[in-house]
Amino acid sequence: MIRTIDEARSLLAGGSTGRDLLERAAARQAELESEDPALNAFLSTIEPESQLGSGQEAGPLAGVPYAVKDNICTPDLPTTCGSLILEGYRSPFSATAVARLDAAGARLFGKTNCDEFAMGSSTENSAFGPSRNPFDRDRVPGGSSGGSAAAVAAGVVPFALGSETGGSVRQPASFCGLVGLKPSYGRVSRYGLVAFASSLDQIGILTRGVRDAGQVLEIISGPDPRDATCQDRPLPRAAALDGVQLDGQVIGVPEEYLGFGLDGEVRQAFDAALGQLEQAGARIREVSLPSAPSAIPCYYVIAPAEASSNLARYDGVRYGFRDGSGAGLEDLYSRTRAGGFGAEVKRRIMLGTFALSAGYFDEYYGRALLVRQAIANDFERVFDSGVDALFTPTTPTPAFRLGEKIANPYDMYLSDVYTVSANLAGLPAVSVPIGNIGGLPVGAQFMAPRFTEETMLGLAVRLEELVGYAPPDVDGAAA
């Protein structure tokens, strides 16, 4: 196993090479896939034998192996987005985040399983089968970055990139006992992230500890001329995360996040963590975000609307899967999309197309944009009142069983009820594990004003120290 970046560095300092660490990752991956049922965290991996074996490593992440969600472009491995319509597709370029990690010396090990085009909350929507939770193989690892979460939690790699549109890094982090970081919108370039909903999508980070997440964020952040939404802001410095004191810090707890649907034991774990923050000097203030209950319906108008536009490019003409068995261009389009897309992607395309259609645009999409602004205004008002960060549960429940919610899409959508607001408002957020319920991890999250990742991660480091949670090692299917 390779649990953390520091552990990888220790192995390298002891004489191991980057290729040696890739071999360790490959051995661990093979062990997990030989079990029944297999973890199914990866869709493709790089052969360690193809890598240079030199012991001369350079860069802040020199020789450290990592994984990437399979909707982030890499030229060395396929980018399928968990979909048959892109099965076997290889990008001719690297995503900016991947290129920056490679320049820092990190070594890509593999591409991880995900819900098709990142549409889901369980990784059950992957065309290549679901990933499984390392702590209970009958349960989901979360989604849509479930493969990345499972890979880190099982000790294959010390960190992985995922993507967030409505909580798809933080939710699997909570289910798998990890730190899940969603940066501010505009902090990390989206160039090379296959679009689901462009105004919501963000590349995020999954690690075992907050400091590791901070190190990776510092490397992948920064302006990019190929992404007009990526802003030129001072980089968040990982070195600034230590020594943060809670005295005088005002932490808000939104009353809307502690109501309907929250599991009683999750509430107890959250209250215990909140009490530890208060005992350590933080000032706890109850606040209100009145528009929060509208976040899920707002999200499920905006996100499908943008998806219906973004996914129009997959028509069998340009690249990817093509069903040319019919007659004519229209038949090519319909057969390709019918055969290439899964049920959840089709559902969201239809929802989005309806919301954007003539006669309904203002009633649905236009109104959702107004609600989105109201949600952002609620956060701004709370932060302007002197609150440094908000603290809430990450998910209403621990990981649910495979198949438990797949037949009820709305129930599945509610898995992200506490996470979507940060995406709608473009805020940074980080989930930190706070305990176990029946052997299953649960997390709590901080949300903060835009581009205040250093402050937010400093608070997360203190919470991590106070709670003292460390994810147990996964020793097979019975773990």
Side-chain angles (χ1 to χ4, degrees):
M1 290 189 190
I2 308 172
R3 300 171 184 82
T4 66
I5 291 174
D6 281 347
E7 186 173 306
R9 285 177 175 147
S10 295
L11 291 168
L12 291 162
S16 295
T17 66
R19 177 172 163 175
D20 292 336
L21 267 58
L22 287 175
E23 288 176 347
R24 277 178 173 259
R28 178 60 174 157
Q29 165 66 1
E31 176 188 7
L32 294 166
E33 294 309 304
S34 68
E35 295 163 354
D36 187 19
L39 198 64
N40 199 26
F42 285 87
L43 295 182
S44 59
T45 57
I46 286 177
E47 293 294 330
E49 293 77 14
S50 68
Q51 301 293 300
L52 296 175
S54 169
Q56 188 67 34
E57 308 285 355
L61 291 177
V64 179
Y66 71 102
V68 171
K69 185 177 179 179
D70 204 27
N71 65 343
I72 299 173
C73 290
T74 59
D76 298 328
L77 290 170
T79 300
T80 71
C81 298
S83 178
L84 292 177
I85 210 162
L86 282 177
E87 186 173 13
Y89 170 74
R90 283 180 182 260
S91 168
F93 63 91
S94 287
T96 295
V98 171
R100 288 175 174 171
L101 287 171
D102 291 347
R107 296 202 174 198
L108 177 64
F109 170 67
K111 304 291 287 292
T112 55
N113 200 5
C114 58
D115 285 302
E116 186 179 8
F117 284 98
M119 297 182 190
S121 302
S122 65
T123 316
E124 291 173 285
N125 292 326
S126 171
F128 307 106
S131 295
R132 294 174 181 269
N133 193 302
F135 300 104
D136 184 340
R137 299 292 176 90
D138 292 328
R139 295 180 184 268
V140 303
S144 58
S145 306
S148 289
V152 176
V156 180
V157 290
F159 75 92
L161 298 185
S163 72
E164 270 227 19
T165 309
S168 291
V169 166
R170 287 168 289 154
Q171 187 249 31
S174 180
F175 283 1
C176 292
L178 301 174
V179 171
L181 171 60
K182 184 202 94 68
S184 303
Y185 187 84
R187 171 69 79 186
V188 176
S189 172
R190 291 184 298 110
Y191 180 75
L193 171 63
V194 178
F196 163 14
S198 303
S199 73
L200 299 166
D201 295 341
Q202 274 281 269
I203 289 177
I205 304 160
L206 288 143
T207 61
R208 284 199 171 209
V210 178
R211 290 177 180 84
D212 278 3
Q215 291 182 63
V216 177
L217 179 64
E218 183 176 346
I219 289 166
I220 67 174
S221 295
D224 181 3
R226 293 166 296 187
D227 178 3
T229 66
C230 194
Q231 298 194 26
D232 187 1
R233 296 279 184 138
L235 296 180
R237 301 294 181 184
L241 304 185
D242 292 320
V244 172
Q245 299 300 315
L246 292 176
D247 290 338
Q249 297 279 353
V250 180
I251 296 176
V253 180
E255 59 185 57
E256 291 82 5
Y257 283 61
L258 300 178
F260 175 77
L262 181 60
D263 178 89
E265 290 183 281
V266 174
R267 174 65 187 268
Q268 290 177 14
F270 172 77
D271 286 343
L274 185 64
Q276 289 177 300
L277 290 170
E278 188 171 26
Q279 290 175 5
R283 292 165 53 200
I284 308 301
R285 181 189 301 177
E286 185 175 293
V287 299
S288 179
L289 300 171
S291 301
S294 301
I296 286 288
C298 173
Y299 174 85
Y300 280 101
V301 172
I302 292 174
E306 295 187 14
S308 72
S309 177
N310 281 327
L311 271 61
R313 70 194 69 177
Y314 303 105
D315 53 15
V317 175
R318 298 167 180 83
Y319 46 76
F321 170 74
R322 172 187 292 203
D323 185 342
S325 61
L329 190 60
E330 187 174 338
D331 214 17
L332 169 67
Y333 289 163
S334 62
R335 286 175 179 271
T336 296
R337 292 168 69 80
F341 288 139
E344 182 62 26
V345 172
K346 292 174 184 175
R347 179 183 294 117
R348 298 199 193 192
I349 289 174
M350 289 188 290
L351 284 171
T353 302
F354 177 79
L356 294 175
S357 61
Y360 295 99
F361 181 93
D362 290 334
E363 184 176 353
Y364 290 99
Y365 188 70
R367 187 172 297 181
L369 292 179
L370 294 175
V371 173
R372 180 180 189 172
Q373 187 59 55
I375 291 169
N377 291 343
D378 284 350
F379 281 109
E380 185 175 357
R381 173 183 50 78
V382 167
F383 292 135
D384 285 347
S385 73
V387 171
D388 295 298
L390 297 174
F391 187 59
T392 78
T394 306
T395 57
T397 67
F400 47 87
R401 293 188 179 278
L402 286 157
E404 182 179 331
K405 300 188 178 185
I406 200 72
N408 187 340
Y410 185 70
D411 196 26
M412 180 79 78
Y413 297 164
L414 290 176
S415 301
D416 300 327
V417 67
Y418 298 148
T419 55
V420 296
S421 291
N423 296 81
L424 290 166
L427 305 178
V430 61
S431 178
V432 181
I434 56 172
N436 287 294
I437 295 174
L440 298 171
V442 294
Q445 65 175 342
F446 287 105
M447 294 180 282
R450 287 190 72 188
F451 301 109
T452 62
E453 279 88 349
E454 276 187 18
T455 299
M456 180 186 74
L457 292 175
L459 293 173
V461 166
R462 288 293 292 125
L463 176 64
E464 191 175 52
E465 293 168 346
L466 291 168
V467 171
Y469 176 88
D473 288 336
V474 175
D475 295 321

